[in-house]
Amino acid sequence: MVVGESGKHASGIGLLRRNQQALDRFTAVVELPMLVITALWIPVLVVPLIWPVHGSVAETIAIVDYTVWALFALEYLIKLYLAPNRWKFVGTHLLDLFIVAVPFLRPIRLAHITQLGRVGILVQRGGVRVKSVATHQGLHFVLPAIGVIILASAGVVTVAERSAHGSSIQNLGDGLWWAIVTVATVGYGDISPVTPIGRGVAVLLMLAGIGLIGVLTATVASYFVGEAAGKVEAEREQLRNDLAEARAQRDHLAAKLDQLSEQMDQILLALASRGEPGHVAVEDPPQREIQRGRPR
């Protein structure tokens, strides 16, 4: 009995160690319970969307919702703790992070039992592709710079416009909305600056927006062109390898033929040097009969 308890204790300690085996064991243990919780949680998500709920029912639904969210968050944090490489775990499990952050994505967990696992795979592949495009040619440095420009422009315009007569930008929210609309070159016109400082900032944001669109277009095009070129180069390399292998096989066969030819020449020379053994001279029968009929 003591041995069994110590074995369980050792197993529990092993489960809490940071390694891939512990992560796999924990995932296998919690996978089915979390799928059941997800299936039971779907009515909690759907019912408030169909029928308005109030009072104790709304409070109960909120408690269940927060409880499920806490379970998902706890599962993710434990997996993150057990992962031997945490940054790699975050990068390769973005779907799990999105499920924790966005409640409406939690039913995706049912993909494991509804034969819709391809959805999760496609989402993960899409995340990898977006990450590859975002890091191509330094685009991940350009996007934060544009974000800083938008925030700074929104702050400057808000300070310059909120005390101006006839201005529609009265707070930071208005300024941020205007900056995003301007840098995206959408131009709704619902909010616009009236002061010289605000209009000067608008010109800078317009130029930054045009540059951003150009950079995004060029980067995305360059990424896909480079990817296609890489595939073509890989196919060419494969063809080169196949051709080199075929040439090697041809040379090997040619060497075998040369060896067989040399062996045949040696056999012929050996036969010639032995005077063609096995050949017996046979006289014609009529000639033998004539010789026998002659008197001795």
Side-chain angles (χ1 to χ4, degrees), residues 12 52 63 74 78 90 103 109 112 114 142 152 157 161 174 176 208 216 240 246 257-258 276 279 289 296:
I63 292 173
L74 181 61
I78 293 176
V90 173
R109 289 292 297 267
H112 295 283
T114 57
V142 176
V157 168
E161 294 286 326
D174 295 337
L176 188 60
L216 286 175
R240 293 193 191 100
L257 289 175
D258 292 340
E276 298 181 357
H279 176 72
E289 294 296 332
R296 292 183 181 180

Side-chain angles (χ1 to χ4, degrees), residues 43-285:
V44 178
L45 172 67
V46 175
V47 169
L49 298 177
I50 300 176
W51 297 285
V53 292
H54 305 283
S56 60
V57 177
E59 293 179 358
T60 303
I61 289 177
I63 292 173
V64 172
D65 194 15
Y66 284 121
T67 303
V68 173
W69 176 84
L71 291 174
F72 274 91
L74 181 61
E75 179 199 16
Y76 182 82
L77 291 176
I78 293 176
K79 288 182 177 180
L80 182 62
Y81 171 77
L82 294 176
N85 189 335
R86 293 176 180 175
W87 287 111
K88 183 178 180 181
F89 177 83
V90 173
T92 56
H93 293 76
L94 292 176
L95 182 60
D96 294 339
L97 182 60
F98 291 154
I99 288 175
V100 174
V102 183
F104 293 99
L105 296 180
R106 293 174 198 165
I108 295 178
R109 289 292 297 267
L110 294 176
H112 295 283
I113 59 175
T114 57
Q115 302 300 323
L116 296 177
R118 295 180 181 178
V119 175
I121 295 175
L122 291 176
V123 171
Q124 289 183 351
R125 289 180 178 177
V128 173
R129 181 61 61 87
V130 170
K131 182 179 178 180
S132 300
V133 175
T135 56
H136 184 66
Q137 292 187 351
L139 184 61
H140 56 299
F141 295 113
V142 176
L143 297 179
I146 293 296
V148 172
I149 292 174
I150 291 174
L151 292 175
S153 301
V156 172
V157 168
T158 301
V159 173
E161 294 286 326
R162 62 185 174 186
S163 59
H165 178 71
S167 175
S168 55
I169 302 175
Q170 300 298 324
N171 51 56
L172 184 59
D174 295 337
L176 188 60
W177 167 254
W178 167 84
I180 294 173
V181 169
T182 304
V183 81
T185 67
V186 176
Y188 284 120
D190 54 343
I191 298 177
S192 59
V194 296
T195 63
I197 296 177
R199 291 178 177 178
V201 173
V203 172
L204 295 177
L205 276 180
M206 292 174 191
L207 295 177
I210 295 173
L212 176 63
I213 292 175
V215 169
L216 286 175
T217 304
T219 302
V220 173
S222 173
Y223 173 80
F224 285 105
V225 169
E227 192 176 47
K231 291 181 179 179
V232 172
E233 185 61 28
E235 292 178 356
R236 287 181 179 178
E237 186 65 25
Q238 184 64 33
L239 289 175
R240 293 193 191 100
N241 294 334
D242 294 342
L243 182 59
E245 185 177 356
R247 288 176 177 174
Q249 292 178 355
R250 182 199 62 185
D251 295 339
H252 180 69
L253 291 176
K256 285 288 186 181
L257 289 175
D258 292 340
Q259 185 178 1
L260 290 175
S261 178
E262 291 177 359
Q263 293 177 357
M264 184 62 69
D265 293 340
Q266 293 175 0
I267 293 173
L268 293 176
L269 289 174
L271 292 174
S273 62
R274 294 176 184 179
E276 298 181 357
H279 176 72
V280 179
V282 180
E283 297 178 351
D284 294 337

Side-chain angles (χ1 to χ4, degrees), residues 1-10:
M1 188 69 181
V2 176
V3 175
E5 292 179 356
S6 61
K8 292 180 180 179
H9 181 67

